[in-house]
Amino acid sequence: MAVTAPATPVHAGSPRDERPIWRRPNLLRAALMFLVGAAFAYVLVGVLRTVNHYPNKWDDWNAILQVGLIAAPMFFLVGLGAFDYWFYWAAGKPTRPEDHSGHGAYSWRDYFRVNTDHKVIGIQYTVHSFVFLLIGGMFAMLMRAELAQPGMQFVSPGAFNGLFSVHASLLIFLFIIPVFAGLANFVLPLMIGAPDMAFPRLNALSFWLLPIAGIMMLASFLAPGGSFATGWTAYAPLSTTAPIGQVFFTMGVQFAGASSIATALNFLVTIITMRAPGMSFFRMPLLVWANFSTSLLVVIATPFIAASQFFVLLDRALDFNFFNAAKGGDVLMYQHVFWFYSHPAVYIMMLPGFGIISEVLAVKARKPIFGYRMMAFSLLAIVVLGFTVWAHHMFVSGMQAWIRVPMMITTAIIAVPTGIKIFSWLATLWRGVLRLDTPMLFALGFITMFTLGGISGVMLAMIPFTIHVSDTYFIVAHIHYVLFGGSLFTIFAGVYHWFPKMTGRMFDESLGKLHFWTTFIAFNLTFGPMHLIGIQGMPRRVADYAEQFAGWNLAISIASFVLGLSTLVFVYNMVASWRGGPRAPANPWRALTLEWQVSSPPPVFNFDAVPTVVGGPYEYGVPGAVHGVFREPKVPATTGAPTVAQPH
């Protein structure tokens, strides 16, 4: 039995902003302010160098570029209106009534401006992230074309280094991390019965920091000397001596990191303070638990990658010599600081997916999640243990040998809470009434692929094995089984699962299944053989290789092209279904959680009556089970009763 909200009212058109165009937030004003910011950077550097009697006062383009990469984006955000309300408040002006002119989407134009509606921001995040998936995927196709046979075919070794560096950076910082934030932005407030996120304006700013980071990384290809080519890890001292394109990565990561931290703080405050009446922590859906845990990781860990890139920037710009061993610097310090963020980042890219899989499996198996509380506690255990394993990335770095053994042990231990989740999902599936539609297929594909990636991860926890396969294609296979077979499969499952809620349309199920099977088969044919050639000694991050690996590399390249084409099936299905798919009912999956008890898409302010949570989120198969009820808005002398739908 499901509970439905009262009928959704018909909303009028978007409130109009009657101010002159130069005072209204818009992309034209933002573009003009971007140019003003670039000019400001030029003048600031010139004046400071003149005052301090430096040479090349007005034509030190390295200094101008580094200041400009900070100033121009900030001026762009000012022009876009991201700080309008805060400037108004800081100026001490009287409080003005909120007209909600910046809240909600009434036309496609509302997605191209600062918008405080969490549902609009969620769609902005998600669509933006998939654009960068396609760009990063095209870089991967170009790399595999180059590697289809030995020798140099299409790009130089330097350009190849730039391709894999930008490929990895875009897909980590501009796709996987933000797309999870996008799905959670849309779904999480609805799940907990909140009208919006706790800080809507900060939420809007968090999104608009991301296009800046992505464009900055892509713009590095235009820099003298080419794009940054130090990998997504940007190890020092290579990154402190690389051409100026490296600065685009250093600054881009700062903007992406600031976005992550602001979003995580927003999620934490929203989850802790804005849950509906009756929703205790142990009545929260596991997707909410997953994002709560992920947000803790982000807030604690992300400042460390920001620090690592600030160190690099200070070394490059002001000769601080943090990583110059000849002047007392410590090269290994960079790796310790970087990996203290970047191993927790693996769980930042996994825990939201764990929550998505729990939601999909419970609905599609029509069973309660097995071991709900242990599933929640295992998420928190991963948060704690995630900070104890960073140096397993450094087994061959030359660090003190004694550190390797405790890191090997903690790396093996962290498999335990992950194993709890795998067994819980399998127990949830056991004797369930399975509906093998597209979201369910991707969820099952995730369990198999992530388990294989986890097994190779346990192998890599062993010091002798890691020494043997370090910097080989075995590492490439492992990270892609975890982040593609793991994270991306959960992302596809989540997009298909909530697509009807986000768009009000149903997708084409046949195309969805075609997408799954082509992706699943081509993925395994692409990355499975990499384990074999990695053990045989095929090095990663090389544009050319020995003749003995030619056959396997040709097969891998062909499979990768099929994998790329499978993504186009997904894109076509999403675009065509969004434009003209069948209208989606409010609850096509017969789910119990609150987001499915409102219309598809939801009302602008989510709920026309405050929901009250009266049961758990996964009580499928329990007669009369209800997760939440909605009470009609009070009218004079009467009180509305809960509205309960008839059993399906």
Side-chain angles (χ1 to χ4, degrees):
M1 182 164 63
V3 181
T4 58
T8 305
V10 177
H11 294 282
S14 173
R16 292 181 60 84
D17 190 337
E18 302 293 346
R19 291 177 293 175
I21 189 170
W22 63 272
R23 292 192 60 195
R24 294 202 307 266
N26 58 78
L27 286 172
L28 176 60
R29 189 178 79 163
L32 293 174
M33 288 297 289
F34 178 86
L35 297 177
V36 172
F40 171 79
Y42 178 77
V43 172
L44 178 65
V45 171
V47 169
L48 290 177
R49 294 183 71 85
T50 300
V51 169
N52 290 282
H53 306 292
Y54 288 158
N56 304 323
K57 297 178 178 59
W58 295 94
D59 57 357
D60 187 331
W61 294 107
N62 282 352
I64 293 167
L65 176 64
Q66 292 180 69
V67 175
L69 287 175
I70 301 172
M74 296 306 295
F75 274 73
F76 173 86
L77 292 171
V78 170
L80 194 64
F83 302 109
D84 277 10
Y85 186 88
W86 292 322
F87 286 158
Y88 185 91
W89 173 81
K93 295 184 178 181
T95 302
R96 59 187 177 191
E98 177 59 64
D99 62 1
H100 301 296
S101 60
H103 188 93
Y106 300 88
S107 78
W108 62 269
R109 295 179 183 86
D110 292 321
Y111 292 96
F112 292 90
R113 62 179 177 84
V114 173
N115 199 303
T116 56
D117 186 350
H118 73 94
K119 299 180 292 299
V120 174
I121 295 169
I123 291 174
Q124 286 175 323
Y125 263 108
T126 305
V127 174
H128 164 273
S129 299
F130 273 100
V131 169
F132 280 98
L133 169 67
L134 296 177
I135 296 171
M138 286 190 290
F139 291 162
M141 297 297 97
L142 187 53
M143 285 188 288
R144 286 315 316 176
E146 175 60 48
L147 292 169
Q149 63 183 33
M152 305 308 299
Q153 280 73 238
F154 302 107
V155 297
S156 66
F160 185 89
N161 289 346
L163 284 174
F164 75 69
S165 299
V166 180
H167 160 80
S169 301
L170 289 181
L171 294 187
I172 289 172
F173 296 114
L174 276 302
F175 174 62
I176 296 179
I177 294 175
V179 77
F180 280 133
L183 292 172
N185 244 300
F186 192 100
V187 174
L188 190 145
L190 290 163
M191 273 189 160
I192 65 173
D196 207 307
M197 295 284 281
F199 307 116
R201 294 183 183 87
L202 182 63
N203 201 20
L205 175 63
S206 300
F207 165 71
W208 283 102
L209 291 170
L210 284 171
I212 292 171
I215 293 171
M216 201 174 284
M217 291 183 184
L218 291 174
S220 68
F221 283 103
L222 304 177
S227 69
F228 61 93
T230 55
W232 78 279
T233 55
Y235 276 1
L238 181 61
S239 56
T240 60
T241 57
I244 193 66
Q246 184 65 41
V247 178
F248 288 80
F249 171 84
T250 302
M251 292 308 307
V253 167
Q254 301 291 6
F255 282 97
S259 170
S260 292
I261 293 172
T263 302
L265 289 171
N266 219 341
F267 280 143
L268 288 173
V269 177
T270 302
I271 293 168
I272 292 170
T273 67
M274 297 183 67
R275 301 189 309 278
M279 180 170 280
S280 64
F281 266 81
F282 289 111
R283 282 180 173 174
M284 293 194 313
L286 284 171
L287 180 66
V288 181
W289 270 106
N291 279 282
F292 179 77
S293 305
T294 304
S295 298
L296 291 174
L297 273 173
V298 170
V299 170
I300 298 169
T302 306
F304 284 88
I305 193 172
S308 71
Q309 299 312 307
F310 270 125
F311 289 154
V312 170
L313 189 64
L314 291 171
D315 266 17
R316 294 182 64 98
L318 300 176
D319 294 326
F320 269 45
N321 297 312
F322 285 115
F323 308 119
N324 186 343
K327 296 187 177 181
D330 185 349
V331 174
L332 279 182
M333 181 182 73
Y334 177 91
Q335 295 187 36
H336 281 292
V337 175
F338 177 85
W339 286 115
F340 195 76
Y341 160 78
S342 293
H343 194 82
V346 174
Y347 301 108
I348 291 170
M349 293 184 275
M350 288 308 311
L351 296 189
F354 292 168
I356 290 171
I357 296 306
S358 296
E359 300 301 320
V360 172
L361 290 185
V363 174
K364 305 302 181 182
R366 310 307 298 173
K367 279 186 63 184
I369 288 290
F370 181 88
Y372 167 89
R373 293 201 175 203
M374 284 306 297
M375 290 285 274
F377 289 138
S378 66
L379 289 166
L380 298 177
I382 291 172
V383 171
V384 175
L385 291 171
F387 289 102
T388 67
V389 299
W390 79 91
H392 70 217
H393 296 274
M394 301 169 59
F395 282 167
V396 295
S397 67
M399 68 178 180
Q400 296 93 329
W402 66 267
I403 299 179
R404 298 192 298 187
V405 174
M407 287 293 165
M408 177 181 71
I409 294 170
T410 54
T411 303
I413 290 173
I414 203 170
V416 174
T418 310
I420 289 173
K421 307 191 81 60
I422 297 292
F423 286 115
S424 175
W425 289 325
L426 294 177
T428 302
L429 291 170
W430 179 251
R431 302 186 72 177
V433 183
L434 304 186
R435 179 178 179 178
L436 295 177
D437 57 6
T438 303
M440 183 63 155
L441 289 174
F442 273 104
L444 297 176
F446 157 79
I447 293 175
T448 55
M449 295 300 94
F450 180 71
T451 301
L452 290 175
I455 291 171
S456 65
V458 173
M459 295 168 66
L460 289 168
M462 304 301 117
I463 298 169
F465 186 79
T466 295
I467 292 173
H468 176 64
V469 300
S470 181
D471 281 329
T472 70
Y473 261 60
F474 192 94
I475 307 297
V476 178
H478 165 69
I479 193 172
H480 283 87
Y481 265 83
V482 171
L483 294 185
F484 194 121
S487 297
L488 188 54
F489 272 50
T490 68
I491 291 164
F492 283 138
V495 169
Y496 280 115
H497 184 63
W498 282 292
F499 181 83
K501 184 58 59 180
M502 298 173 81
T503 66
R505 303 280 184 172
M506 297 300 294
F507 57 86
D508 187 315
E509 183 67 31
S510 298
L511 287 177
K513 290 181 177 178
L514 174 64
H515 173 220
F516 169 75
W517 286 112
T518 52
T519 300
F520 185 80
I521 294 169
F523 167 77
N524 281 286
L525 292 177
T526 299
F527 297 106
M530 291 184 184
H531 294 99
L532 302 177
I533 61 175
I535 290 177
Q536 293 170 12
M538 168 81 184
R540 63 173 176 165
R541 296 179 174 178
V542 292
D544 195 9
Y545 52 87
E547 187 70 34
Q548 72 184 86
F549 303 117
W552 275 120
N553 271 288
L554 178 60
I556 289 170
S557 291
I558 293 171
S560 72
F561 298 147
V562 177
L563 184 59
L565 291 173
S566 72
T567 308
L568 298 182
V569 176
F570 166 78
V571 172
Y572 173 78
N573 193 3
M574 294 296 99
V575 173
S577 299
W578 199 344
R579 293 188 62 186
R583 293 285 181 183
N587 192 359
W589 315 131
R590 298 186 298 127
L592 291 178
T593 47
L594 292 178
E595 80 273 20
W596 296 107
Q597 315 312 324
V598 295
S599 61
S600 298
V604 173
F605 294 99
N606 292 356
F607 303 101
D608 299 309
V610 177
T612 300
V613 176
V614 296
Y618 305 118
E619 296 179 1
Y620 299 102
V622 179
V626 173
H627 178 50
V629 296
F630 293 84
R631 300 190 181 278
E632 298 283 0
K634 289 185 178 181
V635 296
T638 61
T639 302
T643 305
V644 181
Q646 295 301 315
H648 292 280

